[in-house]
Amino acid sequence: MAEGCSHDCGNCGEDCASRDMHVKPHELSKIKKVIGVVSGKGGVGKSLTTAMLAVTAQRNGFKTAVLDADITGPSVPKMFGVSEKAMGTELGILPVSSKTGIRMMSMNLLLEDETEPVIWRGPVIAGAVLQFWTDVIWDEVDYMFVDMPPGTGDVPLSIYQSLPLDGIIVVTTPQELVSMIVKKAVVMAEKLNIPVLGIVENMSYVLCPDCGKKIEIFGKSHVEAFAEELGVKAVARIPFDAALTKCADNGLIELYEGDYVDALFKSIE
Ligand code: ADP
């Protein structure tokens, strides 16, 4: 990025596209893979999918971390039942660990009162995400999952450009799948040369509690066709499951037994 960048590319002669604009993490961090979890809009289960992927990676023996880049809607710590505040040292900020050792950093681990809203403009929010990358001592991490802000606005764009994402996982729901919103998110990543590693269809179906039959409440799933259209091989379907909501709401996501994202994680591996 040019010094004093105004983000107004139309009036700037700098050739940023050909440059590596990735920002270096903290000098004590050794992060091997960084995977963004994105959605076209909020409320589709992006944070829940991020948490489930992190739990799966940790269960498979990998040193795992979650960077909660959803600054205005931070929900990852709550799903893990993590409420202690992040501490700083002279060298940098220390992430907070979950019960099974997943390290995380989130706006809610810094705010005195977690119900306090973050009323900041885009560049300030993007700056905070960047600080989670540069000022946090992540130490050794095999897989870092980044819970991205929803949509294709200013903040996701800055993150795509600044963090060295190895790929993204796109989360959608059956009703939203056919809409163009999720495609916008995919196209944005592709334009920035970030590979789409997989697609998750959340709330894909409900399992009948009596007979175990899959009931596709939003109609037939289109995820396979959608993935094929985008040339993405790995697909996961997560049912709408009251036990999942309960685990997430009570900070017990690490105890949830559903293995719906296991195959997807294996394919990333
Ligand atoms: P987003 O990050 O896309 O805004 P969240 O992951 O925070 O969405 O999910 C929104 C709410 O829906 C949360 O309370 C979460 O527990 C619930 N939820 C998401 N997916 C499911 C699911 N498959 N089954 C049950 N509850 C779910």
Side-chain angles (χ1 to χ4, degrees):
M1 214 180 296
E3 212 173 302
C5 172
S6 66
H7 300 278
D8 181 5
C9 305
N11 291 316
C12 176
E14 293 290 333
D15 179 20
C16 291
S18 60
R19 281 201 213 153
D20 183 2
M21 289 155 74
H22 293 156
V23 174
K24 283 205 172 74
H26 191 284
E27 57 183 6
L28 296 176
S29 299
K30 284 181 213 83
I31 305 161
K32 289 188 188 149
K33 296 282 174 209
V34 187
I35 294 160
V37 183
V38 312
S39 66
K41 61 188 183 74
V44 298
K46 171 181 55 63
S47 303
L48 192 73
T49 304
T50 307
M52 289 173 78
L53 283 164
V55 170
T56 305
Q58 185 80 358
R59 278 182 191 158
N60 279 277
F62 294 103
K63 296 188 185 91
T64 308
V66 178
L67 189 159
D68 186 358
D70 199 348
I71 299 287
T72 55
S75 40
V76 172
K78 188 171 164 40
M79 290 180 183
F80 285 90
V82 168
S83 56
E84 68 180 275
K85 298 299 159 209
M87 305 294 282
T89 68
E90 270 175 27
L91 296 174
I93 307 168
L94 304 176
V96 180
S97 284
S98 73
K99 296 173 200 78
T100 63
I102 296 171
R103 277 159 292 155
M104 59 190 72
M105 181 49 68
S106 166
M107 202 60 211
N108 264 6
L109 302 176
L110 298 172
L111 294 172
E112 277 284 311
D113 171 7
E114 48 175 48
T115 59
E116 205 179 307
V118 173
I119 311 171
W120 293 345
R121 294 196 189 276
V124 182
I125 295 178
V129 176
L130 212 56
Q131 278 186 284
F132 286 179
W133 176 251
T134 55
D135 297 5
V136 173
I137 303 172
W138 289 104
D139 201 13
E140 302 247 353
V141 173
D142 295 319
Y143 284 99
M144 172 182 277
F145 294 96
V146 181
D147 187 7
M148 298 279 289
T152 50
D154 193 25
V155 182
L157 176 62
S158 300
I159 301 173
Y160 278 146
Q161 290 177 326
S162 319
L163 262 54
L165 293 171
D166 291 285
I168 57 162
I169 304 278
V170 181
V171 183
T172 184
T173 53
Q175 329 88 299
E176 199 214 10
L177 196 59
V178 281
S179 81
M180 59 181 186
I181 308 170
V182 78
K183 278 193 193 150
K184 279 186 196 285
V186 170
V187 170
M188 177 170 165
E190 281 172 351
K191 284 195 173 170
L192 294 160
N193 294 325
I194 300 168
V196 180
L197 303 173
I199 299 177
V200 174
E201 187 178 67
N202 187 29
M203 306 187 211
S204 185
Y205 55 89
V206 175
L207 283 175
C208 171
D210 297 323
C211 67
K213 189 180 168 212
K214 276 187 188 174
I215 306 165
E216 296 184 307
I217 43 173
F218 297 119
K220 208 175 153 10
S221 169
H222 305 282
V223 71
E224 301 283 352
F226 185 61
E228 203 179 314
E229 190 187 326
L230 297 173
V232 177
K233 288 201 181 75
V235 161
R237 293 178 73 190
I238 305 175
F240 189 87
D241 181 2
L244 188 48
T245 321
K246 207 168 156 193
C247 282
D249 284 355
N250 293 314
L252 298 171
I253 194 66
E254 286 156 300
L255 296 183
Y256 183 68
E257 284 179 355
D259 58 355
Y260 303 107
V261 298
D262 281 26
L264 175 61
F265 178 71
K266 286 264 147 46
S267 79
I268 299 173
E269 227 188 300

